[in-house]
Amino acid sequence: MIYKVWRLAVCAGLLLAASLPARAGDAPPTSAFTPAQRDEIVRIVRDALKRDPSILRDAVEALQADNDARQQAAAKAAIAARRSELVTASDPSAGNPKGDVTVVEFFDVRCPYCKRLEPDLSRLMQADRGVRLVYKDMPILGAPSVLGSKALLAAQRQDKYDALRAVLMRDGAPPSDASIRAAAAAVGIDIDRLERDMNDPAIQARIDTNLRLAHELGITGTPALVVGGTLIPGAVSLAELESAVATARKAD
């Protein structure tokens, strides 16, 4: 129980205060204790925790649960307020474009956890034809990540976002000019046009918009998924993805 330790300390303080002799003419008692009295309260609480350490464990677990609930409530409110920004016509996507449940993935092309999540997202879309997956490039792991995101968004102009993304997500090395050119050539992208588009300020503006939106939603790392009105930070299992989609479907 989150308030066990707090109640214990309060009870100890009340017992100590009650044990002090009252004198005629004393002012009404206050909530302040002398240093000696505080030391006695600490001793009582410490002795209780030694006898039953589960008090502290339960309090920490309850505090974490309460904190998680507060964060999720804040995320839900932020998602609801920014629904029109979360999915836009310019966003790259996969799965069913008219799906009844949308999964939004904030990802970094260099993120190992994003790469680990990739097969389960593919399995989800294969098993559930009602899912649309929307990609939000969120390069937070340095200059190679930014380079990879620019290449992907530039490739989208040639309808090659998915093809290039598949190659870059399989590559264990950070994106570089050379690796992007090689990957682009492998999937039939016009490399000269790709490089021109990568330097277009509009591409950087799209990245900045994604980063700003992630910040407003309280997203601090990748991958992060928004399923319906729920934020799911970090990589999760296929079973958890399916459960989140089912919950979102029921909510609609």
Side-chain angles (χ1 to χ4, degrees), residues 229-249:
T230 300
L231 173 64
I232 304 175
V236 293
S237 68
L238 177 59
E240 289 171 306
L241 287 171
E242 291 172 336
S243 176
V245 168
T247 299
R249 190 165 276 139

Side-chain angles (χ1 to χ4, degrees), residues 64-76:
Q64 182 62 53
D66 181 67
N67 185 58
D68 290 346
R70 289 175 182 271
Q71 288 181 343
Q72 191 57 247
K76 283 182 178 292

Side-chain angles (χ1 to χ4, degrees), residues 114-221:
C114 298
K115 296 176 188 291
R116 187 181 305 171
L117 181 63
E118 196 78 358
D120 282 338
L121 284 172
S122 295
R123 293 186 190 102
L124 175 69
M125 289 184 289
Q126 289 170 3
D128 189 334
R129 298 299 181 179
V131 171
R132 171 178 59 164
L133 176 60
V134 171
Y135 297 116
K136 293 285 191 181
D137 291 82
M138 181 182 166
I140 57 174
L141 298 177
S145 294
V146 175
L147 186 68
S149 289
K150 285 183 174 181
L152 288 176
L153 294 175
Q156 186 186 9
R157 295 182 176 181
Q158 300 183 47
D159 295 324
K160 294 289 187 177
Y161 182 96
D162 288 343
L164 183 60
R165 186 180 185 278
V167 177
L168 295 184
M169 291 297 281
R170 287 195 302 266
D171 192 349
S176 65
D177 290 332
S179 67
I180 287 172
R181 282 195 293 270
V187 298
I189 291 175
D190 180 331
I191 297 175
D192 290 338
R193 179 184 172 188
L194 180 78
E195 291 179 341
R196 287 196 303 272
D197 287 340
M198 286 174 65
N199 292 317
D200 185 343
I203 294 292
Q204 182 62 54
R206 289 183 62 185
I207 293 172
D208 292 342
T209 296
N210 288 348
L211 292 171
R212 183 171 56 254
L213 177 60
H215 175 73
E216 290 169 349
L217 296 178
I219 295 172
T220 58

Side-chain angles (χ1 to χ4, degrees), residues 20-75:
L20 298 176
R23 295 178 300 176
D26 278 351
T30 68
S31 59
F33 294 100
T34 66
Q37 291 167 350
R38 286 196 296 271
D39 289 344
E40 180 65 10
I41 293 171
V42 170
R43 184 192 66 77
I44 293 171
V45 173
R46 184 180 290 120
D47 288 346
L49 291 175
K50 286 180 180 179
R51 289 193 298 271
D52 185 5
S54 67
I55 294 174
L56 184 58
R57 182 199 63 218
D58 292 347
V60 171
E61 290 177 353
L63 181 63
Q64 182 62 53
D66 181 67
N67 185 58
D68 290 346
R70 289 175 182 271
Q71 288 181 343
Q72 191 57 247

